[in-house]
Amino acid sequence: MKEGTVEKELKYLYALQQVDTQLQEVQDLKGDLPSIVEELQGRVNELKSKLKGLHDSLKQAKIDRDEADVGILDCGEKIDKYKGQQLHVKSNKQYDALTREIEAAEAKSLKLEKEMGLLEGKMQLFKSDIETIMPQLEELNAELEGKQKELREVNKEHEKEELKLQHEREKLVVRVEREDLERYERIRKAKGGKAVVPVKRGACGGCFNRVPPQKILEIRQNLKLYQCEHCGRILVSDHIVEMSLSLT
């Protein structure tokens, strides 16, 4: 990177840092509202999903119960039919065969009756769970709507300032080399939002550890990007700070 190019790169990086700091200050004014809204929305979605599952299970249980009921009626009709046929058979073999059919139908009917009882029990549990969740969901929705309204009001209050800063950030980002931008974002994430700091009174403006005099001289020459030996932040000279003022 050429000498003049390095100086511009440092200028853009420091200006970007100032814009990001101001954006963070705007976010801080919103307090915990964004995270509260996100957490409430997650809980609402979770309850809605659970409620849908209960409604689906209740619907299927009703279908299965009705099918069992139809099966019981069918068994009853078969039993009546077989008993009627027994009155007209001409041999013990035919009578015994019909008896076996009757016993099979009675066993199936008994099994279906047990299944119906279990399904009725499940349906009651599903209904009970639905009745428990519904007021919880209504309460959460009301709380979510209230917090969303608060957040909208805060966003509206700072909307112009935030949009202006976002626009400034976009203009600066395209001017910074991709490799340097990635380094900047990585350091900023690791160091609480501060990636580029000036050297103040012979010390790093981020961690306040002393910077060797020889390195300070090199930083003032703006020939390359220097990072603090202790915290890893990018260090800039007072000259870069002054130049950056015209960009923010």
Side-chain angles (χ1 to χ4, degrees):
M1 197 180 288
K2 295 180 181 179
E3 181 178 338
T5 307
V6 173
E7 187 175 74
K8 286 182 180 179
E9 188 79 350
L10 289 167
K11 178 179 69 174
Y12 294 142
L13 280 170
Y14 187 75
L16 179 60
Q17 176 66 78
Q18 300 313 297
V19 170
D20 280 337
T21 298
Q22 292 177 69
L23 277 169
Q24 186 57 53
E25 288 171 356
V26 172
Q27 290 300 316
D28 290 343
L29 290 172
K30 299 177 185 180
D32 295 330
L33 275 175
S35 59
I36 290 173
V37 167
E38 184 179 359
E39 189 264 340
L40 285 172
Q41 187 65 67
R43 288 168 63 190
V44 165
N45 291 341
E46 185 180 342
L47 279 183
K48 282 183 176 179
S49 177
K50 188 174 182 180
L51 196 60
K52 183 181 182 301
L54 286 169
H55 278 297
D56 290 344
S57 296
L58 178 60
K59 182 179 178 181
Q60 187 59 51
K62 285 180 179 178
I63 292 171
D64 294 342
R65 181 203 60 185
D66 291 344
E67 287 179 354
D69 191 30
V70 170
I72 291 169
L73 291 173
D74 182 58
C75 287
E77 290 175 359
K78 286 180 179 179
I79 291 168
D80 290 340
K81 183 181 73 172
Y82 296 146
K83 285 182 176 180
Q85 289 175 353
Q86 280 182 324
L87 299 175
H88 304 288
V89 296
K90 296 179 180 180
S91 68
N92 289 335
K93 186 177 180 181
Q94 289 177 325
Y95 188 90
D96 291 342
L98 288 169
T99 298
R100 286 194 293 272
E101 291 292 342
I102 291 170
E103 289 173 349
E106 287 175 341
K108 184 178 180 181
S109 179
L110 185 61
K111 181 182 177 183
L112 289 172
E113 285 176 4
K114 288 181 180 179
E115 287 181 5
M116 271 193 70
L118 290 173
L119 289 167
E120 289 284 358
K122 285 183 178 181
M123 287 168 60
Q124 289 302 317
L125 287 174
F126 294 146
K127 288 177 181 177
S128 176
D129 287 344
I130 289 170
E131 289 172 1
T132 300
I133 289 174
M134 283 299 293
Q136 293 177 359
L137 183 58
E138 289 173 6
E139 185 179 343
L140 266 181
N141 265 323
E143 187 178 355
L144 174 61
E145 288 172 6
K147 293 299 181 183
Q148 284 175 330
K149 183 180 179 182
E150 287 181 42
L151 184 57
R152 282 195 299 270
E153 289 172 354
V154 173
N155 284 337
K156 187 176 180 181
E157 184 180 348
H158 302 286
E159 185 177 15
K160 288 183 179 179
E161 182 183 1
E162 194 167 6
L163 286 173
K164 177 176 173 289
L165 289 169
Q166 287 287 3
H167 182 59
E168 288 179 10
R169 189 180 202 281
E170 289 168 6
K171 289 193 297 182
L172 289 167
V173 163
V174 296
R175 294 180 176 183
V176 178
E177 294 286 339
R178 181 178 176 181
E179 183 180 344
D180 293 333
L181 182 62
E182 289 176 353
R183 185 193 309 186
Y184 166 82
E185 295 291 4
R186 188 169 59 251
I187 298 171
R188 193 165 74 94
K189 185 177 180 180
K191 297 298 176 180
K194 276 195 174 185
V196 186
V197 294
V199 176
K200 294 182 178 180
R201 297 175 184 173
C204 168
C207 67
F208 309 111
N209 278 294
R210 189 166 181 78
V211 179
Q214 180 59 38
K215 194 164 189 178
I216 292 176
L217 290 175
E218 293 172 1
I219 290 169
R220 287 173 179 168
Q221 291 174 3
N222 303 317
L223 296 177
K224 60 178 287 189
L225 269 68
Y226 286 93
Q227 289 180 244
C228 174
E229 296 174 353
H230 300 279
C231 68
R233 291 182 175 91
I234 299 168
L235 299 172
V236 296
S237 64
D238 291 338
H239 175 63
I240 294 297
V241 173
E242 291 172 7
M243 288 179 64
S244 300
L245 293 175
S246 62
L247 299 175
T248 58

